[in-house]
PDB file of all heavy atoms in Angstrom:
ATOM      1  N   ASP B 125       9.833   9.268  45.036  1.00 93.00           N
ATOM      2  CA  ASP B 125      10.028  10.723  44.943  1.00 93.00           C
ATOM      3  C   ASP B 125       8.750  11.479  45.365  1.00 93.00           C
ATOM      4  O   ASP B 125       8.848  12.546  45.941  1.00 93.00           O
ATOM      5  CB  ASP B 125      10.309  11.228  43.357  1.00 93.00           C
ATOM      6  CG  ASP B 125      11.766  10.932  43.008  1.00 93.00           C
ATOM      7  OD1 ASP B 125      12.575  10.705  43.933  1.00 93.00           O
ATOM      8  OD2 ASP B 125      12.066  11.132  41.886  1.00 93.00           O
ATOM      9  N   ILE B 126       7.640  10.927  45.106  1.00 92.00           N
ATOM     10  CA  ILE B 126       6.398  11.560  45.457  1.00 92.00           C
ATOM     11  C   ILE B 126       5.744  10.883  46.642  1.00 92.00           C
ATOM     12  O   ILE B 126       4.511  11.217  46.964  1.00 92.00           O
ATOM     13  CB  ILE B 126       5.435  11.633  44.396  1.00 92.00           C
ATOM     14  CG1 ILE B 126       5.016  10.290  43.779  1.00 92.00           C
ATOM     15  CG2 ILE B 126       5.982  12.311  43.088  1.00 92.00           C
ATOM     16  CD1 ILE B 126       3.791  10.219  42.840  1.00 92.00           C
ATOM     17  N   GLY B 127       6.585   9.870  47.300  1.00 92.00           N
ATOM     18  CA  GLY B 127       5.934   9.352  48.539  1.00 92.00           C
ATOM     19  C   GLY B 127       4.860   8.343  48.320  1.00 92.00           C
ATOM     20  O   GLY B 127       3.995   8.081  49.074  1.00 92.00           O
ATOM     21  N   PHE B 128       4.767   7.776  46.995  1.00 93.00           N
ATOM     22  CA  PHE B 128       3.626   6.939  46.655  1.00 93.00           C
ATOM     23  C   PHE B 128       4.110   5.559  47.017  1.00 93.00           C
ATOM     24  O   PHE B 128       5.255   5.170  46.613  1.00 93.00           O
ATOM     25  CB  PHE B 128       3.463   7.135  45.196  1.00 93.00           C
ATOM     26  CG  PHE B 128       2.153   6.543  44.752  1.00 93.00           C
ATOM     27  CD1 PHE B 128       0.967   7.361  44.699  1.00 93.00           C
ATOM     28  CD2 PHE B 128       2.054   5.269  44.358  1.00 93.00           C
ATOM     29  CE1 PHE B 128      -0.203   6.858  44.221  1.00 93.00           C
ATOM     30  CE2 PHE B 128       0.782   4.602  43.912  1.00 93.00           C
ATOM     31  CZ  PHE B 128      -0.363   5.538  43.853  1.00 93.00           C
ATOM     32  N   VAL B 129       3.197   4.726  47.578  1.00 94.00           N
ATOM     33  CA  VAL B 129       3.520   3.336  47.929  1.00 94.00           C
ATOM     34  C   VAL B 129       2.776   2.470  46.894  1.00 94.00           C
ATOM     35  O   VAL B 129       1.651   2.305  46.755  1.00 94.00           O
ATOM     36  CB  VAL B 129       2.901   2.914  49.401  1.00 94.00           C
ATOM     37  CG1 VAL B 129       3.142   1.510  49.567  1.00 94.00           C
ATOM     38  CG2 VAL B 129       3.564   3.916  50.378  1.00 94.00           C
ATOM     39  N   ILE B 130       3.614   1.789  46.091  1.00 92.00           N
ATOM     40  CA  ILE B 130       3.023   1.025  44.993  1.00 92.00           C
ATOM     41  C   ILE B 130       2.470  -0.325  45.464  1.00 92.00           C
ATOM     42  O   ILE B 130       3.086  -0.994  46.472  1.00 92.00           O
ATOM     43  CB  ILE B 130       4.182   0.706  43.958  1.00 92.00           C
ATOM     44  CG1 ILE B 130       4.666   2.110  43.286  1.00 92.00           C
ATOM     45  CG2 ILE B 130       3.759  -0.158  42.861  1.00 92.00           C
ATOM     46  CD1 ILE B 130       5.586   1.852  42.222  1.00 92.00           C
ATOM     47  N   ASP B 131       1.423  -0.605  44.855  1.00 88.00           N
ATOM     48  CA  ASP B 131       0.668  -1.818  45.207  1.00 88.00           C
ATOM     49  C   ASP B 131       0.462  -2.681  43.959  1.00 88.00           C
ATOM     50  O   ASP B 131      -0.087  -3.797  44.034  1.00 88.00           O
ATOM     51  CB  ASP B 131      -0.589  -1.334  45.895  1.00 88.00           C
ATOM     52  CG  ASP B 131      -1.341  -2.477  46.368  1.00 88.00           C
ATOM     53  OD1 ASP B 131      -1.046  -3.004  47.529  1.00 88.00           O
ATOM     54  OD2 ASP B 131      -2.372  -2.853  45.738  1.00 88.00           O
ATOM     55  N   GLY B 132       0.802  -2.158  42.847  1.00 87.00           N
ATOM     56  CA  GLY B 132       0.471  -2.900  41.655  1.00 87.00           C
ATOM     57  C   GLY B 132       0.607  -1.956  40.488  1.00 87.00           C
ATOM     58  O   GLY B 132       0.688  -0.780  40.575  1.00 87.00           O
ATOM     59  N   HIS B 133       0.686  -2.555  39.305  1.00 90.00           N
ATOM     60  CA  HIS B 133       0.560  -1.804  38.047  1.00 90.00           C
ATOM     61  C   HIS B 133       0.127  -2.532  36.893  1.00 90.00           C
ATOM     62  O   HIS B 133       0.024  -3.704  37.032  1.00 90.00           O
ATOM     63  CB  HIS B 133       2.048  -1.126  37.793  1.00 90.00           C
ATOM     64  CG  HIS B 133       3.024  -1.939  37.226  1.00 90.00           C
ATOM     65  ND1 HIS B 133       4.115  -2.278  37.810  1.00 90.00           N
ATOM     66  CD2 HIS B 133       2.930  -2.690  36.088  1.00 90.00           C
ATOM     67  CE1 HIS B 133       4.825  -3.224  36.987  1.00 90.00           C
ATOM     68  NE2 HIS B 133       4.108  -3.391  36.010  1.00 90.00           N
ATOM     69  N   ARG B 134      -0.130  -1.842  35.895  1.00 90.00           N
ATOM     70  CA  ARG B 134      -0.643  -2.264  34.659  1.00 90.00           C
ATOM     71  C   ARG B 134       0.151  -1.466  33.574  1.00 90.00           C
ATOM     72  O   ARG B 134      -0.127  -0.311  33.502  1.00 90.00           O
ATOM     73  CB  ARG B 134      -2.123  -2.222  34.537  1.00 90.00           C
ATOM     74  CG  ARG B 134      -2.705  -3.164  33.650  1.00 90.00           C
ATOM     75  CD  ARG B 134      -3.869  -3.937  34.214  1.00 90.00           C
ATOM     76  NE  ARG B 134      -3.615  -4.315  35.527  1.00 90.00           N
ATOM     77  CZ  ARG B 134      -4.627  -4.863  36.406  1.00 90.00           C
ATOM     78  NH1 ARG B 134      -5.753  -4.904  36.015  1.00 90.00           N
ATOM     79  NH2 ARG B 134      -4.221  -5.430  37.538  1.00 90.00           N
ATOM     80  N   HIS B 135       0.639  -2.276  32.554  1.00 92.00           N
ATOM     81  CA  HIS B 135       1.508  -1.547  31.616  1.00 92.00           C
ATOM     82  C   HIS B 135       1.191  -2.276  30.344  1.00 92.00           C
ATOM     83  O   HIS B 135       1.529  -3.424  30.157  1.00 92.00           O
ATOM     84  CB  HIS B 135       2.911  -1.680  32.008  1.00 92.00           C
ATOM     85  CG  HIS B 135       3.976  -0.903  31.079  1.00 92.00           C
ATOM     86  ND1 HIS B 135       5.161  -0.647  31.520  1.00 92.00           N
ATOM     87  CD2 HIS B 135       3.716  -0.140  30.005  1.00 92.00           C
ATOM     88  CE1 HIS B 135       5.730   0.165  30.569  1.00 92.00           C
ATOM     89  NE2 HIS B 135       4.879   0.501  29.735  1.00 92.00           N
ATOM     90  N   GLN B 136       0.519  -1.518  29.425  1.00 92.00           N
ATOM     91  CA  GLN B 136       0.139  -2.104  28.138  1.00 92.00           C
ATOM     92  C   GLN B 136       0.824  -1.222  26.985  1.00 92.00           C
ATOM     93  O   GLN B 136       0.620  -0.060  27.022  1.00 92.00           O
ATOM     94  CB  GLN B 136      -1.332  -2.167  28.021  1.00 92.00           C
ATOM     95  CG  GLN B 136      -2.102  -2.811  29.050  1.00 92.00           C
ATOM     96  CD  GLN B 136      -3.595  -2.906  28.938  1.00 92.00           C
ATOM     97  OE1 GLN B 136      -4.068  -2.166  28.088  1.00 92.00           O
ATOM     98  NE2 GLN B 136      -4.197  -3.668  29.741  1.00 92.00           N
ATOM     99  N   ILE B 137       1.398  -2.010  26.005  1.00 93.00           N
ATOM    100  CA  ILE B 137       1.937  -1.328  24.868  1.00 93.00           C
ATOM    101  C   ILE B 137       1.253  -1.780  23.546  1.00 93.00           C
ATOM    102  O   ILE B 137       1.126  -2.975  23.361  1.00 93.00           O
ATOM    103  CB  ILE B 137       3.502  -1.758  24.749  1.00 93.00           C
ATOM    104  CG1 ILE B 137       4.196  -1.272  26.019  1.00 93.00           C
ATOM    105  CG2 ILE B 137       3.960  -1.099  23.622  1.00 93.00           C
ATOM    106  CD1 ILE B 137       5.675  -1.542  26.066  1.00 93.00           C
ATOM    107  N   PHE B 138       0.604  -0.811  22.968  1.00 90.00           N
ATOM    108  CA  PHE B 138      -0.091  -1.170  21.637  1.00 90.00           C
ATOM    109  C   PHE B 138       0.810  -0.999  20.490  1.00 90.00           C
ATOM    110  O   PHE B 138       1.809  -0.145  20.556  1.00 90.00           O
ATOM    111  CB  PHE B 138      -1.224  -0.214  21.553  1.00 90.00           C
ATOM    112  CG  PHE B 138      -2.066  -0.132  22.856  1.00 90.00           C
ATOM    113  CD1 PHE B 138      -1.971   1.076  23.582  1.00 90.00           C
ATOM    114  CD2 PHE B 138      -2.767  -1.177  23.263  1.00 90.00           C
ATOM    115  CE1 PHE B 138      -2.773   1.019  24.729  1.00 90.00           C
ATOM    116  CE2 PHE B 138      -3.519  -1.153  24.483  1.00 90.00           C
ATOM    117  CZ  PHE B 138      -3.422   0.018  25.265  1.00 90.00           C
ATOM    118  N   GLY B 139       0.465  -1.624  19.520  1.00 90.00           N
ATOM    119  CA  GLY B 139       1.170  -1.417  18.168  1.00 90.00           C
ATOM    120  C   GLY B 139       0.979  -2.598  17.270  1.00 90.00           C
ATOM    121  O   GLY B 139      -0.127  -3.240  17.228  1.00 90.00           O
ATOM    122  N   TYR B 140       1.929  -2.963  16.508  1.00 92.00           N
ATOM    123  CA  TYR B 140       1.903  -4.011  15.503  1.00 92.00           C
ATOM    124  C   TYR B 140       2.950  -5.040  15.764  1.00 92.00           C
ATOM    125  O   TYR B 140       4.105  -4.664  15.844  1.00 92.00           O
ATOM    126  CB  TYR B 140       1.874  -3.423  14.082  1.00 92.00           C
ATOM    127  CG  TYR B 140       0.743  -2.411  14.002  1.00 92.00           C
ATOM    128  CD1 TYR B 140       1.015  -1.144  14.318  1.00 92.00           C
ATOM    129  CD2 TYR B 140      -0.489  -2.823  13.621  1.00 92.00           C
ATOM    130  CE1 TYR B 140      -0.013  -0.228  14.300  1.00 92.00           C
ATOM    131  CE2 TYR B 140      -1.555  -1.848  13.468  1.00 92.00           C
ATOM    132  CZ  TYR B 140      -1.335  -0.567  13.852  1.00 92.00           C
ATOM    133  OH  TYR B 140      -2.404   0.259  13.777  1.00 92.00           O
TER     134      TYR B 140
END
Side-chain angles (χ1 to χ4, degrees):
Chain B
D125 281 351
I126 63 170
F128 197 93
V129 179
I130 294 184
D131 187 74
H133 76 239
R134 201 129 312 168
H135 190 167
Q136 306 181 346
I137 302 180
F138 312 109
Y140 301 89

